């Protein structure tokens, strides 16, 4: 067996040690915990820890431990079981109020020395770990409103640029497009030609003429509305996925369902209120020109008479502002957002960068308006649920606040800062949401469900038993049929499972029930390579070859067949990974990794063990 060099022994030992170390974290089950984080700048410090300890002691729910993370952004209280976790959560929610967010969590129990080398247990999917499931519906009316408003603004600008006289450009009822009031039939014909040329997605038709009023109606074509609805869904799915990924929820399932619905599943999140905070936030910014003086804004707020080119908004201090109806730049034109503090006065801020289109508009506006005010509008959208005649009625509520109002000191374009945020926490949350992107249209949660951890524990138990049963049957069959070589194959099969779990843990693959099915299938397929090797060795022995020569030839000749068979399996698994989604993708990822590890263990590891057993010995026969 001199054909198996020492460097291969070293390689096998290193790889197997690597597998053992990085698979080890999975034997440490997560511990039920309650996570507490501050809202709007509420501190997470030693005084909060003392307060939580007192509340839990009074409620007779002793925690296993209480710790504050290194960044002082959250406090984690661990408990021995889910019953204590649930009771502690209720106590802390009632005692801490709205100043803090209290959420259920599953805390890692992996030793610190393993975490230091980035050895962590596999995250579990929704079907194993539990979590929340949301059915979200896109507000298509808001899509139509936004598009028709945009067309109205564009038509005004077009007519103004082309010097076409008009009296008004107004939106009709939702879905009825835009009406343009012109002063003569000639103006109407010219406007119709310009609109039809510049906006082919609009259907232009003459309206009734009364005296000196000549009306032109421009409606959005149905094909454009359908295209807009689909693109809105697609963009919202992408934005939600980016937002959830940025917030650290591992392997979320976010996909379209039907014409205007989106499914969101977050594994490991057991608190629906916390999950809604993660995915339902629609905070964004708008930059608008400040119009009129502060006194004129106060007068408009008192009288209710707002100039036609302005809209009345309020700051957080209740001060009124008259801002332009036209938006300079919006949150969906941001390319990056980073929270920090203003160097001059030390207040929290968000430094933003605009894309090329937004930067161009901002540069043009600031060039022409140095010394004039510009406002930053902070917009959030929530949904209020009320019971009307025994039925739930969901009403969207949009809050628009002016968080910054200042004169432009010098022109700027792509990069600048937004000041006026009340706390570092809110600045950080806003930057996070802006980085995740603005939703193309509002989404409302129309259905929600929580999958409890008990169901996950039951699934894990069944999956573990399935793996052990499959592995045990294969081990027994191999040992009986191929004797010593079967036992060697069994050892390699065990290490195949260890390496598979190690690789999945290291790259952060989320384990689901389909993934467990992939592991079972991998273990069943992995023995095929050893069957080919053992049968080849038997054939060589029958042909009169010596035992050592039979072993050498068995491994050499069987390798080509093993490679061909596994390449086809790899292609199939690759197809499942790239083209599939959800459970199919999870199954494909597990199968792909399992095939790679089985090729190493079935050939290289078994060859190394066989060389150690038979090398340097004079053999008359083989136990195969």
């Amino acid at each position: 067996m001199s054909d198996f060099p020492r460097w291969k022994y070293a390689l096998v030992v290193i790889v197997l040690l690597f597998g053992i170390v990085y698979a080890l974290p999975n034997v440490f089950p997560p511990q039920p915990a309650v996570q507490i984080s501050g809202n709007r700048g509420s501190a997470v410090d030693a005084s909060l820890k003392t307060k939580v300890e007192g509340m839990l002691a009074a409620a007779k729910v002793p925690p296993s431990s209480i710790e504050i993370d290194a960044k002082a952004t959250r406090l984690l209280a661990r408990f021995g079981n889910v019953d204590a976790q649930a009771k502690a959560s209720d106590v802390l929610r009632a005692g801490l109020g709205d100043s803090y967010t209290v959420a259920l969590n599953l805390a890692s129990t992996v030793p610190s020395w393993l975490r230091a080398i980035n050895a962590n247990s596999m995250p579990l999917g929704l079907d194993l770990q539990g979590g929340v499931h949301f059915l979200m519906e896109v507000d298509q009316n808001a899509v139509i409103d936004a598009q028709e408003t945009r067309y109205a603004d564009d038509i005004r600008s077009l007519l103004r640029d082309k010097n076409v006289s008009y009296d008004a450009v107004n939106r009709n009822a939702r879905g009825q497009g835009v009406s343009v009031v012109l002063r003569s039939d000639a103006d109407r014909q010219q406007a119709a030609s310009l609109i039809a040329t510049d906006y082919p997605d609009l259907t232009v038709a003459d309206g009734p003429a009364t005296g000196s009023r000549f009306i032109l109606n421009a409606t959005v074509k149905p094909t454009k509305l359908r295209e807009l609805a689909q693109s809105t869904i697609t963009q919202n799915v992408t934005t939600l996925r980016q937002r959830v990924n940025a917030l650290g929820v591992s392997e979320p399932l976010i996909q379209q369902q039907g014409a205007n619905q989106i499914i969101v599943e977050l594994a490991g999140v057991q608190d629906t209120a916390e999950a809604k905070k993660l995915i339902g936030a629609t905070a964004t910014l708008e930059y608008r020109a400040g119009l009129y003086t502060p006194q004129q804004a106060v007068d408009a707020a008192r009288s209710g008479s707002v100039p036609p080119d302005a809209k009345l908004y309020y700051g957080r201090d209740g001060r009124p502002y008259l801002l332009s109806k036209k938006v300079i730049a919006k949150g969906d034109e941001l390319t990056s957002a980073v929270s920090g503090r203003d160097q001059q006065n030390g207040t929290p801020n968000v430094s933003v960068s605009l894309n090329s289109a937004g930067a161009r508009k901002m540069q043009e506006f600031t060039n022409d308006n140095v010394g004039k005010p510009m406002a930053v509008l902070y917009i959030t959208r929530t949904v209020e649920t009320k019971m009307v005649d025994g039925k739930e009625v969901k009403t969207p509520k949009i809050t628009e606040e002016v968080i910054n109002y200042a004169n432009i000191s010098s022109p700027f374009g792509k990069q600048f800062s937004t000041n006026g945020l009340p706390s570092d926490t809110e600045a950080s949350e806003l930057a996070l949401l802006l980085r995740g992107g603005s939703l193309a249209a509002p989404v409302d949660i129309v259905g929600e469900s929580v999958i409890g951890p008990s169901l996950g524990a039951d699934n894990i138990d069944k999956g573990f038993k399935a793996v052990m049963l499959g592995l045990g049957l294969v081990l027994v069959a191999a040992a009986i049929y191929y004797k010593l070589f079967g036992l060697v194959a069994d050892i390699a099969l065990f290490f195949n499972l260890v390496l598979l779990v190690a690789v999945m843990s290291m790259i952060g693959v989320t384990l689901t029930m389909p993934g467990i099915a992939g592991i079972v299938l991998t273990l069943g397929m992995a023995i095929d390579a050893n069957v080919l090797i053992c049968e080849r060795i038997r054939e060589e022995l029958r042909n009169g070859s010596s035992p050592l020569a039979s072993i050498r030839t068995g491994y050499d000749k069987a390798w080509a067949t093993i490679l061909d068979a596994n390449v086809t399996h790899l292609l199939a698994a690759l197809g499942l990974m790239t083209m599939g989604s959800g459970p199919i993708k999870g199954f494909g990822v597990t199968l792909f990794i399992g095939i790679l590890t089985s090729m190493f263990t079935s050939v290289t590891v078994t060859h190394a063990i066989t060389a150690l057993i038979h090398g340097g010995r004079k053999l008359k026969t083989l136990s195969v």
Side-chain angles (χ1 to χ4, degrees), residues 196-440:
T197 301
D198 283 23
Y199 303 104
D201 294 321
L202 295 177
T203 299
V204 183
D206 292 345
T210 56
S212 61
R213 292 170 58 88
F214 294 83
I215 298 176
L216 185 69
N217 291 321
T219 57
V220 186
K221 294 179 179 179
T223 54
K224 176 62 177 178
L225 288 177
R226 288 193 295 269
E227 176 188 334
L228 187 64
Q230 181 57 45
S231 65
T232 300
I233 286 278
T234 303
Q235 184 176 337
N236 273 4
V237 168
T238 302
T239 299
L240 286 171
R241 186 174 291 116
Q242 292 172 346
R243 183 175 291 180
V244 171
N245 288 341
L247 290 166
V249 179
S250 63
E251 294 294 330
L253 173 64
I254 303 173
Q255 63 185 20
Q256 180 179 348
Q257 174 177 281
N260 64 337
Q261 293 182 331
I262 300 173
I263 290 177
V264 178
E265 293 183 350
L266 305 178
V269 178
Q270 302 172 36
D271 186 85
T272 55
E274 176 69 8
K276 286 178 183 177
K277 181 180 177 181
L278 299 184
I279 66 172
T282 55
T284 188
L285 297 178
E286 287 184 357
Y287 298 88
R288 297 177 181 242
L291 302 179
Y292 304 98
T293 64
Q295 186 58 48
Q296 288 174 312
V298 173
D299 295 340
R302 288 174 179 172
S303 64
S305 178
V306 180
D309 59 343
K311 187 174 180 180
L312 185 65
Y313 296 97
Y314 292 89
R316 290 184 171 176
D317 56 359
R319 182 181 303 175
Y321 298 93
L322 285 172
L323 306 184
S324 173
K325 290 183 176 179
K326 188 174 182 180
V327 179
I328 304 167
K330 299 174 66 176
D332 56 6
E333 294 174 312
L334 298 176
T335 58
S336 69
V338 180
S339 61
R341 282 186 169 270
D342 182 47
Q343 295 182 354
Q344 295 182 353
N345 53 32
T347 59
N349 69 357
V350 175
S351 299
V352 301
S353 297
L354 297 174
N355 60 20
S356 57
R360 184 179 66 255
K361 290 187 292 185
M362 184 63 73
Q363 189 71 57
E364 291 174 354
F365 177 80
T366 54
N367 284 339
D368 298 336
N369 293 276
V370 174
K372 297 180 181 179
M374 185 178 74
V376 182
L377 198 63
Y378 182 45
I379 304 171
T380 57
R381 184 180 189 273
T382 56
V383 177
E384 294 182 343
T385 303
K386 296 181 180 179
M387 298 298 295
V388 178
D389 297 331
K391 296 181 179 179
E392 282 191 357
V393 177
K394 297 180 184 292
T395 305
K397 179 183 178 182
I398 298 177
T399 303
E400 299 172 313
E401 297 176 318
V402 177
I403 62 172
N404 185 273
Y405 188 90
N407 292 332
I408 301 169
S409 58
S410 61
F412 56 84
K414 183 176 182 180
Q415 294 181 329
F416 54 94
S417 297
T418 294
N419 301 320
L421 295 168
S423 68
D424 292 318
T425 301
E426 188 152 344
S428 177
E429 290 178 355
L430 177 59
L432 193 61
L433 290 171
L434 292 175
R435 284 199 301 272
S438 297
L439 295 171

Side-chain angles (χ1 to χ4, degrees), residues 533-578:
I533 294 171
C534 291
E535 290 299 330
R536 185 69 188 192
I537 293 173
R538 282 181 171 181
E539 183 179 349
E540 291 298 322
L541 289 173
R542 286 194 296 266
N543 291 335
S545 298
S546 66
L548 294 181
S550 298
I551 294 173
R552 185 181 300 110
T553 305
Y555 278 96
D556 290 343
K557 299 297 184 182
W559 169 243
T561 306
I562 294 170
L563 182 62
D564 290 343
N566 282 287
V567 165
T568 57
H569 293 157
L570 281 173
L571 292 176
L574 187 62
L576 294 175
M577 287 171 54
T578 55

Side-chain angles (χ1 to χ4, degrees), residues 9-248:
Y9 283 117
L11 175 65
V12 169
V13 171
I14 292 172
V15 171
L16 295 185
L17 287 176
F18 157 85
I20 292 171
V21 169
Y22 280 87
L24 188 59
N26 293 281
V27 305
F28 298 96
Q31 186 176 13
V34 174
Q35 174 183 305
I36 302 171
S37 54
N39 292 330
R40 294 186 175 272
S42 299
V44 178
D45 51 19
S47 61
L48 174 64
K49 182 179 179 181
T50 303
K51 183 178 180 181
V52 169
E53 288 174 341
M55 293 169 62
L56 294 176
K60 298 181 180 180
V61 191
S64 302
S65 65
I66 297 181
E67 57 195 34
I68 298 175
D69 68 356
K71 297 182 180 179
T73 58
R74 68 172 188 170
L75 180 146
L76 198 67
R78 301 171 183 258
F79 298 90
N81 54 66
V82 293
D83 293 334
Q85 177 198 36
K87 185 177 180 180
S89 175
D90 294 338
V91 170
L92 293 174
R93 279 197 182 94
L96 296 176
D98 295 333
S99 299
Y100 294 89
T101 297
V102 179
L104 302 179
N105 201 342
L106 291 173
S108 173
T109 59
V110 177
S112 57
W113 68 271
L114 283 173
R115 295 200 302 269
I117 59 174
N118 201 31
N120 298 296
S121 58
M122 275 186 289
L124 302 179
L126 192 68
D127 51 355
L128 298 180
Q129 188 178 0
V132 293
H133 169 98
F134 291 111
L135 179 62
M136 310 182 76
E137 190 170 81
V138 177
D139 188 350
Q140 298 289 10
N141 290 332
V143 177
I144 297 173
D145 290 343
Q147 187 64 27
E148 289 184 341
T149 301
R150 191 177 298 116
Y151 276 129
D153 292 338
D154 292 343
I155 289 172
R156 283 192 203 97
S157 299
L158 174 65
L159 298 180
R160 193 180 303 117
D161 293 342
K162 299 298 182 180
N163 297 318
V164 178
S165 299
Y166 68 94
D167 286 336
V169 178
N170 298 312
R171 279 191 59 209
N172 297 322
R174 179 180 296 133
Q176 302 300 313
V178 179
S179 65
V180 184
V181 181
L182 299 117
R183 299 174 183 175
S184 68
D185 186 59
D187 289 336
R188 180 167 65 178
Q189 297 304 319
Q190 184 181 0
S193 176
L194 290 171
I195 294 171
T197 301
D198 283 23
Y199 303 104
D201 294 321
L202 295 177
T203 299
V204 183
D206 292 345
T210 56
S212 61
R213 292 170 58 88
F214 294 83
I215 298 176
L216 185 69
N217 291 321
T219 57
V220 186
K221 294 179 179 179
T223 54
K224 176 62 177 178
L225 288 177
R226 288 193 295 269
E227 176 188 334
L228 187 64
Q230 181 57 45
S231 65
T232 300
I233 286 278
T234 303
Q235 184 176 337
N236 273 4
V237 168
T238 302
T239 299
L240 286 171
R241 186 174 291 116
Q242 292 172 346
R243 183 175 291 180
V244 171
N245 288 341
L247 290 166

